[in-house]
Amino acid sequence: MAEDRYIDPDRAAFEAFKALPRDTPIHMLNLIRYRAEAAYPAGHALAGKGLTGAEAYAEYGKASGPIFTRLGGSILWRGRFEGMVIGPDDKQWDNVFIAQYPNAGAFLAMVTDPDYRLAVVHRQAAVLTSRLMRFAPDLSGDMF
């Protein structure tokens, strides 16, 4: 079975994101599977250098991290995937984390920042497939 390819949001998903409230805190669940070898576009300084997907994602973190932090983003939780309990067993993730933003406007400011747009090439080179899901924090304290 061919691997699904979800690297960047499609137009409809991004428009739906933008239609949600922009002035409330958000949490973004990130599930990422790396390529064995990074796939930089021809002509990029790192093309053909033999970087792994994990190494390319680290480059993305170095380049995008300061923008993320400047806009009030932080990592709320990070974990190491160990196995699927409920769900398709062919889905495994190399990097799993929840990013927290003060509001959706901060996330939109990040992804439209000119320096971020330069950094995202590392993410695109690194990622085989991913999931990015927006959540509203539930501060009720209720367990269920």
Side-chain angles (χ1 to χ4, degrees):
M1 178 166 73
E3 178 72 36
D4 53 8
R5 304 276 302 161
Y6 296 96
I7 298 171
D8 295 312
D10 65 24
R11 174 67 59 199
F14 195 62
E15 292 302 321
F17 178 93
K18 292 190 316 186
L20 292 169
R22 294 188 185 192
D23 58 349
T24 58
I26 63 169
H27 292 167
M28 300 290 280
L29 173 61
N30 291 257
L31 306 173
I32 300 162
R33 178 79 185 242
Y34 299 134
R35 297 173 189 262
E37 185 173 330
Y40 283 96
H44 189 277
L46 296 176
K49 299 291 186 193
L51 270 70
T52 65
E55 291 168 331
Y57 201 85
E59 291 297 320
Y60 167 68
K62 284 188 254 180
S64 67
I67 302 159
F68 173 69
T69 302
R70 175 174 45 83
L71 293 169
S74 61
I75 300 300
L76 182 65
W77 175 88
R78 180 180 304 278
R80 183 173 42 88
F81 179 82
E82 292 185 333
M84 189 69 69
V85 178
I86 298 175
D89 61 4
D90 66 333
K91 295 291 176 248
Q92 297 189 13
W93 307 104
D94 296 312
N95 193 354
V96 180
F97 62 95
I98 299 172
Q100 173 174 262
Y101 295 86
N103 54 56
F107 177 83
L108 290 169
M110 181 183 75
V111 300
T112 58
D113 181 282
D115 290 331
Y116 179 85
R117 289 183 177 268
L118 294 174
V120 81
V121 69
H122 299 293
R123 185 183 187 286
Q124 292 165 334
V127 172
L128 177 64
T129 192
S130 65
R131 304 296 185 273
L132 179 61
M133 295 166 259
R134 175 180 166 161
F135 293 89
D138 181 352
L139 305 177
S140 70
D142 295 337
M143 187 164 180
F144 297 102

